[in-house]
Amino acid sequence: SRAAMGYVLAYAAHMWELFSLRSWIVAFLAFSLQLQPAGSWTWSPTQLAFIINLIGLPASVGGNELSRIFGRQKVISIVMIISAVLGVILGFSAALPYWLVASLAILYGTTIVGDSASLTAGVVAAAPAGYRGTTLAVHSTLGFCSAFLGPMTVGIVLDLFGGNRLAWGMGFLTMAGGCLLG
């Protein structure tokens, strides 16, 4: 089913971005902390990662509720575009004041999961009668293969660019690029 595969591929792009962020956010925030002046306000990178992941559930449910009101494809597209833009901004923000980096990270983490429930609901709705289980198996398999490849690719990009500010920007661009394909 072409419609179901559209959701499956968008979910794979979503998982690329989501698991890349989950894998690299603590290291990125620690890198940003090194660039901050002594005595500046900080939450630890692990505390921020916890907050980002905690916000995920209500953001996912909220995104699906918006999809019910405004249309699934429209909301998914808007959320993915906003997420990609925020990802690129965050990636190049490491030297900004830490409160701003933290705020961007929380906002980015919120938008990344804003489309998750809508993508899964969409694939279930688009699955042809009698093929829902198979469709969901493909959905999960491609999604979690992408969840493996995304963080690995970001790591390769970080290494290629030398682990500096540009490297982090390019790493987040790699995360966001996956999302834009969705």
Side-chain angles (χ1 to χ4, degrees):
S1 165
R2 187 178 178 119
M5 278 308 292
Y7 286 107
V8 168
L9 294 175
Y11 182 72
H14 156 77
M15 294 293 279
W16 172 284
E17 185 182 35
L18 175 64
F19 278 81
S20 293
L21 180 71
R22 286 183 177 174
S23 297
W24 289 105
I25 190 62
V26 172
F28 171 74
L29 292 170
F31 176 78
S32 177
L33 273 176
Q34 293 177 2
L35 303 175
Q36 302 302 315
S40 60
W41 171 86
T42 60
W43 269 351
S44 77
T46 54
Q47 288 171 321
L48 280 171
F50 169 75
I51 290 167
I52 291 166
N53 285 308
L54 190 63
I55 290 171
L57 180 61
S60 180
V61 172
N64 195 50
E65 290 304 309
L66 289 173
S67 288
R68 290 172 15 117
I69 297 167
F70 298 108
R72 186 172 287 126
Q73 290 178 348
K74 182 178 184 178
V75 169
I76 289 170
S77 296
I78 290 169
V79 168
M80 283 186 148
I81 290 167
I82 291 170
S83 182
V85 169
L86 284 170
V88 172
I89 292 169
L90 177 62
F92 288 99
S93 75
L96 294 177
Y98 194 71
W99 68 266
L100 185 55
V101 175
S103 298
L104 284 169
I106 291 169
L107 189 57
Y108 181 45
T110 302
T111 59
I112 280 181
V113 293
D115 57 0
S116 186
S118 296
L119 289 165
T120 301
V123 78
V124 169
Y131 291 96
R132 192 166 284 152
T134 302
T135 302
L136 286 172
V138 171
H139 175 77
S140 292
T141 300
L142 291 182
F144 283 97
C145 284
S146 188
F148 164 75
L149 293 173
M152 183 178 65
T153 305
V154 171
I156 292 168
V157 169
L158 288 171
D159 285 347
L160 286 174
F161 283 89
N164 54 26
R165 280 190 252 176
L166 176 62
W168 281 107
M170 298 307 288
F172 274 81
L173 185 64
T174 302
M175 287 180 209
C179 179
L180 277 181
L181 289 175

